[in-house]
Amino acid sequence: MGRKGIYLFALCLGYVSCLDLKIIAPYEPGHDGAEPCLRICAGTTGRVGTKWINYHTSGLYVDIDIKECDFKSNQTPIITTVLAGTSSHWLTDGGSRVYNPSSAGFRIYIHLRGEYGNIKSLYRTNQWRIDWQAIGYTC
């Protein structure tokens, strides 16, 4: 490895060692800071791969699997979500409301009021998806 490679390696190592994550209001009692067991995990259901399921006439839901994050099974991570897409997702309600969170996954329901159109004609065309982040413990 040349000088340039060593420099880049040291630079990257410096960035990694500067990462500091602190939870100031811990979700689980007894955990109050960044420790080797704290993990940030993020993902998306995908623009074309989101498996939306019809919920009544003006709603949809999707179950999101986060098992690959390897969070402790007896502790629920902190999960934040956003409904994203190319258009019209701003007309919906519910994209950031997490239901049944666990270390294995969660569910999101979205609703579109009738005066805005038919939700079933919008979600595929506009590539609606859920982008998410979870922070939890692995040990």
Side-chain angles (χ1 to χ4, degrees):
M1 183 183 300
R3 262 189 188 165
K4 189 175 182 181
I6 292 172
Y7 174 75
L8 289 174
F9 177 74
L11 183 64
C12 289
L13 189 60
Y15 282 127
V16 171
S17 67
C18 292
L19 180 64
D20 181 26
L21 175 65
K22 182 174 179 92
I23 296 179
I24 58 171
Y27 194 69
E28 299 289 341
H31 293 284
D32 45 335
E35 47 190 78
C37 299
L38 191 59
R39 173 174 289 163
I40 300 174
C41 190
T44 183
T45 58
R47 290 183 179 186
V48 293
T50 303
K51 295 177 177 140
W52 292 107
I53 298 168
N54 292 330
Y55 185 72
H56 297 292
T57 57
S58 60
L60 301 168
Y61 74 89
V62 63
D63 290 317
I64 299 165
D65 183 336
I66 63 170
K67 288 185 214 106
E68 287 186 44
C69 296
D70 292 325
F71 293 126
K72 281 185 76 170
S73 62
N74 65 342
Q75 293 184 345
T76 303
I78 299 168
I79 300 169
T80 57
T81 66
V82 63
L83 174 64
T86 59
S87 182
S88 302
H89 53 291
W90 65 275
L91 297 169
T92 67
D93 188 25
S96 62
R97 296 190 180 107
V98 176
Y99 288 84
N100 306 320
S102 74
S103 61
F106 59 95
R107 178 176 284 185
I108 296 290
Y109 292 91
I110 60 170
H111 172 263
L112 181 70
R113 291 197 318 234
E115 66 262 26
Y116 293 131
N118 182 343
I119 197 167
K120 292 163 186 69
S121 68
L122 294 173
Y123 75 94
R124 275 197 194 102
T125 306
N126 296 309
Q127 301 175 339
W128 291 356
R129 68 186 184 275
I130 298 295
D131 296 338
W132 58 269
Q133 299 172 2
I135 301 172
Y137 292 92
T138 58
C139 57

